[in-house]
Amino acid sequence: MTQQFNVYVEFDAPDTPLQVFSAIYEDLLEYGGSAGTAPNGNLSVRLFIESPSAVDAGIRGVEYAQAAAMKHKIYPNAVIGFAVLTEEEFDRQLAEPVVPELAGVAEAAEIIKVSPARVSQLERELEAHHVQTLASGPIFLAEGLRRYAATEHNSTRGRRRTEIPLTDTERALLEVLASAAASAEIPSGTAHHQLAAEAVEGTMGASQVRLRAQLADSALAVALDSLASHRLVRTRTVYRKEAAAGREDDLVVTMLGKGLRHADVDTASAVGEKDQA
């Protein structure tokens, strides 16, 4: 079974005369061929080959392009590369916009449903979608912002935009960590909460909670790894200057914004009370 492939061949032949383009086009007319200038100024040839495989189409396409170019003293060793695509994939890529949809601060605010000032506060979370910063402000990929708004961002603290499946142990650990990070009352309604609370050594500021080293030998270790994989928390070991006698293997857990939003505890009021104190 054969199908049509699009074969692109590029020659190291800058400043090729226009009459050569026309001559190569005529020679490759039966293959729907075209000849022109590549973005770097080289000679580029494109043709369509009916073939059972991309490999065969590529070999034949290069040979046909070389034969046409040799008539004008552009020899085979001038080929610096080629590419082969099915006709369907070529058409799909051709239909894509040359420049993806972009968004400035105002557009980002509209997509995420926040204020323009809040967009600046989300700079770290939006870093993966940041393209460039102009005098007018940062520029983002609009599609990336839509994914962020749908899966990670939630403008209402305490309410989840998307549900994350957590076990009872994972849920209890998340609630205890969020409460400890905000200096709120640590929940103790279940055995899972109590187990998680016993592992808390203290807080370190900046939404960081210090956990006792024995966590590594408990079921909480698996739960903590799961929370980290969902990007609800970030973990690290203590630095040397933070280490206390007998606590050199403690863990430091940083509550991420996503984790605070997914925690079923009222940490907002506690944070407000702490700031006013």
Side-chain angles (χ1 to χ4, degrees), residues 136-205:
S136 58
I139 303 297
F140 305 94
L141 291 173
E143 184 57 33
L145 294 180
R146 293 191 184 95
R147 290 196 304 271
Y148 167 79
T151 60
E152 297 183 51
H153 179 74
N154 185 351
S155 59
T156 304
R157 185 180 284 274
R159 293 176 57 190
R160 295 188 296 278
R161 183 178 291 271
T162 55
E163 187 64 33
I164 295 178
L166 298 177
T167 66
D168 291 342
T169 302
E170 292 166 356
R171 169 61 57 192
L173 178 59
L174 180 65
E175 293 172 0
V176 167
L177 290 172
S179 298
S183 297
E185 182 180 356
I186 295 179
S188 58
T190 70
H192 298 293
H193 287 101
Q194 295 167 16
L195 180 65
E198 290 174 359
V200 175
E201 173 78 9
T203 60
M204 300 180 61

Side-chain angles (χ1 to χ4, degrees), residues 31-257:
Y31 304 109
S34 63
T37 304
N40 58 6
N42 282 336
L43 167 66
S44 66
V45 175
R46 190 179 296 278
L47 24 68
F48 290 89
I49 304 292
E50 194 79 22
S51 174
S53 72
V55 173
D56 176 73
I59 294 173
R60 289 168 52 198
V62 170
E63 290 177 347
Y64 298 158
Q66 287 176 329
M70 284 180 64
K71 295 180 180 179
H72 307 281
K73 299 184 179 180
I74 301 174
Y75 298 105
N77 60 2
V79 173
I80 61 172
F82 69 96
V84 184
L85 296 172
T86 63
E87 186 175 20
E88 292 78 9
E89 177 60 17
F90 173 70
D91 290 340
R92 186 193 68 78
Q93 293 187 9
L94 200 62
E96 290 182 348
V98 177
V99 178
E101 183 183 359
L102 302 176
V105 172
E107 293 79 10
E110 183 177 350
I111 292 172
I112 306 174
K113 307 300 182 188
V114 296
S115 68
R118 179 60 177 154
V119 172
S120 298
Q121 296 171 354
L122 294 172
E123 181 178 354
R124 270 191 182 177
E125 295 185 40
L126 300 179
E127 186 176 0
H129 316 298
H130 178 253
V131 176
Q132 191 174 3
T133 299
L134 305 178
S136 58
I139 303 297
F140 305 94
L141 291 173
E143 184 57 33
L145 294 180
R146 293 191 184 95
R147 290 196 304 271
Y148 167 79
T151 60
E152 297 183 51
H153 179 74
N154 185 351
S155 59
T156 304
R157 185 180 284 274
R159 293 176 57 190
R160 295 188 296 278
R161 183 178 291 271
T162 55
E163 187 64 33
I164 295 178
L166 298 177
T167 66
D168 291 342
T169 302
E170 292 166 356
R171 169 61 57 192
L173 178 59
L174 180 65
E175 293 172 0
V176 167
L177 290 172
S179 298
S183 297
E185 182 180 356
I186 295 179
S188 58
T190 70
H192 298 293
H193 287 101
Q194 295 167 16
L195 180 65
E198 290 174 359
V200 175
E201 173 78 9
T203 60
M204 300 180 61
S207 297
Q208 292 186 334
V209 181
R210 184 166 179 155
L211 297 181
R212 297 179 186 274
Q214 63 261 35
L215 173 66
D217 301 321
S218 72
L220 290 178
V222 177
L224 186 61
D225 287 343
S226 178
L227 296 183
S229 70
H230 287 300
R231 296 172 63 187
L232 302 176
V233 302
R234 184 169 57 242
T235 64
R236 65 173 175 83
T237 55
V238 294
Y239 301 136
R240 178 176 299 178
K241 65 180 181 180
E242 299 170 337
R247 298 295 181 193
E248 295 84 356
D249 296 326
D250 281 2
L251 294 173
V252 175
V253 179
T254 302
M255 287 298 304
L256 302 180

